Amino acid sequence: MTSENGSQGLEPDLFGVVSERWLPIAILGLVFAFVGLIAGSALPVVYRSSASVVVKDPQSSALFESSSSSRPDRYVETQVGIISSPAVAQRTSELLAEGSPPVELTPEKILAGATVIAQESSDLISVSFASDSPDVAQATADAIISVYLDLRTSEAIAGFSSAMDQLDESILQAQADLDELSARIQEVRSTAGIDLGEEARAALNG
């Protein structure tokens, strides 16, 4: 009996320990809370904004669809590469610097912060940009898309101009061929002494 009472008296009294040492425990808890608060506030806040654009292969139109063997997904992949290129980043940097308010971002930072993704089984390309400022993130994503669209417009105009130049060359070549044929016929007629009449001469002289 005495042995049992003695062993019970030796059992630790948790409540008593906490009561006696509440102040050090409270201070330790406050220290951990303060350290956690400082660590959380030290972590940078990153905002990510996105913009998107629909791309379509000109050769996939109804005019070329039956004969075109190009893969639409291959065209989209090519456009993703263009949007991710250093040239687009360079122009984006210049466009942001010209904005109001101006944004100073180097092409290297734009390439590092931008993510370009082609949506599966669609012609949609999404561009997102990460920054510690939500305004900068959105402005940069929008600027990348704007630069790409300007580039596509320039290429379309250049392609149309090239096609018109080729058409003009074809017309000039056809006219030259007709002139040469007319000259040969005139030469044959003169050699053979054949008089074709006014209407025939007018037709040949075109």
Side-chain angles (χ1 to χ4, degrees):
M1 192 73 176
T2 303
S3 174
E4 290 181 0
N5 290 336
S7 62
Q8 289 178 357
L10 293 177
E11 290 180 359
D13 187 349
L14 182 59
F15 179 77
V17 172
V18 173
S19 299
E20 293 176 0
R21 302 180 181 179
W22 69 269
L23 184 58
I25 293 175
I27 293 175
L28 187 61
L30 289 175
V31 169
F32 277 114
F34 182 74
V35 170
L37 181 62
I38 294 298
S41 62
L43 293 175
V45 179
V46 178
Y47 300 91
R48 182 173 290 274
S49 297
S50 62
S52 59
V53 61
V54 175
V55 300
K56 190 171 183 62
D57 187 353
Q59 305 233 342
S60 65
S61 64
L63 180 62
F64 299 101
E65 192 170 1
S66 60
S67 59
S68 176
S69 60
S70 61
R71 292 168 41 198
D73 57 336
R74 187 70 175 272
Y75 178 80
V76 174
E77 290 172 5
T78 301
Q79 303 313 298
V80 169
I82 292 174
I83 297 174
S84 306
S85 68
V88 169
Q90 176 65 43
R91 179 59 190 132
T92 300
S93 176
E94 296 170 358
L95 186 63
L96 289 171
E98 297 167 0
S100 179
V103 176
E104 299 295 334
L105 279 178
T106 64
E108 291 75 17
K109 287 185 178 180
I110 293 174
L111 289 173
T115 303
V116 183
I117 300 176
Q119 302 298 325
E120 188 175 357
S121 301
S122 75
D123 298 328
L124 186 69
I125 295 179
S126 297
V127 177
S128 63
F129 188 80
S131 173
D132 56 0
S133 166
D135 294 335
V136 171
Q138 189 62 62
T140 305
D142 291 340
I144 292 173
I145 294 295
S146 179
V147 169
Y148 168 70
L149 291 176
D150 287 345
L151 180 62
R152 280 181 57 186
T153 301
S154 300
E155 289 180 346
I157 293 174
F160 178 76
S161 177
S162 176
M164 292 302 295
D165 290 342
Q166 291 179 5
L167 180 59
D168 290 340
E169 291 177 2
S170 298
I171 293 174
L172 291 174
Q173 184 61 46
Q175 185 62 50
D177 292 341
L178 286 174
D179 292 342
E180 183 180 357
L181 179 60
S182 176
R184 289 181 180 179
I185 293 174
Q186 291 283 4
E187 182 181 354
V188 171
R189 185 199 65 178
S190 299
T191 302
I194 300 174
D195 188 1
L196 298 179
E198 292 296 332
E199 293 185 1
R201 281 197 295 272
L204 287 173
N205 292 327

